[in-house]
Amino acid sequence: MLSVVNEEGVTPNGSLIDEIVREGARRMLAAALEVEVNSYIAELAGQCDDGGRRLVVRNGYHQLRKVTTAAGTVEVKAPRVNDKRVDESTGERKRFSSAILPPWCRKSPKISEVLPLLYLHGLSSGDFAPALNQFLGSTAGLSPATVTRLTAQWQADHQAFMDRDLSATDYVYVWADGVHLRIRLEEAKAAVLVLMGVRADGTKKLIAMTDGYRESSEAWAGLLRDCARRGMRAPVLAVGDGALGFWNALNEVFPETRHQRCWVHKTANTLDALPKSAQPAAKRAIQEIYNAEDKDHAVSAIRDFERAYQAKYPKVVKRITDDQDELLAFFDFPAEHWIHLRTTNPIESAFATVRLRTKVTKGAGSRAAALAMVFKLIESAQARWRAVNAPHLVALVRAGARFERGHLVERLDQYAA
């Protein structure tokens, strides 16, 4: 029943509009339960005992129950059914179970979906009750134990993801990075090894994710070998930072894949070796390289960088010249893809949310729980990942089409000939 409101439109239980919505939800739920029970009884009305009495009849109501819904917490009395029928196979009495409101239900599926989202995006499990109480008018069914049960499901989801077949999906480009998070893994220097890829239709997807010690060659090789075992085809180009562990593993598992070093990591490592007074000019000179019009201009920019810094900082120059082929590999692909291929930013941007979440929690419990949490965050973020520019060109890259200065110079029909 609705309450009297004051001049501000507020009732003792909150705002009038919220109370109206909750009252409407309560009445609709009660009516739906009545219809469900009446239909059940009418369907079995012909079943009677030897004395001609019906075996299935109404039997009052269950005790008042609070149910948390998207409209708030409502109180409802579910109709009770007296079912005297006996299951011939088990010898036990049959029972009516509502499909709308099962006996164990204390919150709607929508609320169950909200809880992991709140947890994954920064609200600790102990804060659920006071936070949602402001919106739902109750803390029923919002105990921290709910997240514990959800975490077990997330771990199962992550394991199923890591066991899935990869033979049906072709990843033309891949990004690889070891992301260090504030989560309690088994080793102090453990990282989350992440492999993301671009499919032939141009969309980005998470390929694999596991933990590895110090981003070692063994850890990366284990991840790549597992992907190959599950049917993954060698990508055309792999993008990563300067960590030798990944490149050594890539050469072992997918030796035909070309290498592209991340310019963001390379720039940071190069500038760190220079005095601060020289860093602004050096940064502009490095930007001239990877922002060049084409590969020839990029090579010319490297020569300019060498002339400017070789005399005073030869070791710094070697950081660029020694990796020249791997740093300029992206120029051999479509110009529309250059912005995607010259850095590992796709992974870094995807993990920005993960870093925010792990910073809030100051840890995620066990290794399995930590990986499951990270996996669920990335899984939910995938829907917002946009395809690469000119996605139709990705299939041509896989087919072996040649690009010069970023433009297609050979078409597929020429390969067929």
Side-chain angles (χ1 to χ4, degrees), residues 237 260 263 290 327-334 338 341-342:
L237 180 72
Q260 170 62 48
W263 271 104
Y290 62 78
L327 286 169
L328 304 184
F330 73 94
F331 282 111
D332 296 331
F333 294 86
W338 290 356
L341 301 179
R342 62 194 180 201

Side-chain angles (χ1 to χ4, degrees), residues 12 28 98 154 197 318 336 361 376:
M28 291 179 65
S98 172
W154 299 342
K318 283 177 63 65
E336 294 88 343
T361 57
K376 276 298 177 180

Side-chain angles (χ1 to χ4, degrees), residues 14-80:
S15 70
L16 176 60
I17 188 171
D18 289 333
E19 189 171 346
I20 291 174
V21 170
R22 282 195 292 269
E23 177 64 16
R26 186 194 65 77
R27 293 181 181 182
M28 291 179 65
L29 177 58
L33 292 173
E34 289 286 349
V35 171
E36 182 185 34
V37 166
N38 291 337
S39 298
Y40 181 81
I41 294 175
E43 183 180 349
L44 301 172
Q47 298 192 25
C48 302
D49 60 14
D50 295 339
R53 293 182 293 270
R54 290 185 181 183
L55 293 174
V56 183
V57 295
R58 287 286 298 267
N59 187 24
Y61 291 88
H62 290 284
Q63 291 184 349
L64 192 67
R65 190 197 317 183
K66 291 184 177 180
V67 181
T68 303
T69 71
T73 299
V74 299
E75 293 184 336
V76 62
K77 275 189 175 182
R80 189 161 53 190

Side-chain angles (χ1 to χ4, degrees), residues 119-120 124-125 147-148 151-152 154-155 181-186 192 354-377:
Y119 177 69
L120 292 172
S124 66
S125 57
V147 174
T148 302
T151 301
W154 299 342
Q155 293 175 19
L181 303 169
R182 296 181 181 180
I183 52 180
R184 296 191 291 273
L185 299 175
E186 289 181 339
V192 178
V354 180
R355 286 194 173 94
L356 174 63
R357 170 62 189 139
T358 53
K359 181 179 180 181
V360 170
T361 57
K362 308 297 183 185
S366 68
R367 162 188 170 274
L371 288 175
M373 186 188 73
V374 173
F375 167 69
K376 276 298 177 180
L377 278 170

Side-chain angles (χ1 to χ4, degrees), residues 134-214:
Q134 301 298 316
F135 298 97
L136 303 177
S138 172
T139 60
L142 304 178
S143 67
T146 304
V147 174
T148 302
R149 294 192 296 270
L150 289 171
T151 301
Q153 180 59 51
W154 299 342
Q155 293 175 19
D157 293 345
H158 177 235
Q159 187 59 52
F161 175 80
M162 291 300 292
D163 290 339
R164 78 195 191 285
D165 181 36
L166 296 176
S167 60
T169 306
D170 184 17
Y171 296 100
V172 180
Y173 302 132
V174 298
W175 296 277
D177 201 0
V179 182
H180 295 267
L181 303 169
R182 296 181 181 180
I183 52 180
R184 296 191 291 273
L185 299 175
E186 289 181 339
E187 300 287 350
K189 296 186 180 297
V192 178
L193 306 183
V194 185
L195 205 63
M196 287 175 55
V198 175
R199 302 188 300 188
D201 61 359
T203 56
K204 302 172 188 172
K205 290 293 180 181
L206 178 67
I207 303 174
M209 188 197 76
T210 188
D211 60 331
Y213 182 67
R214 289 182 178 272

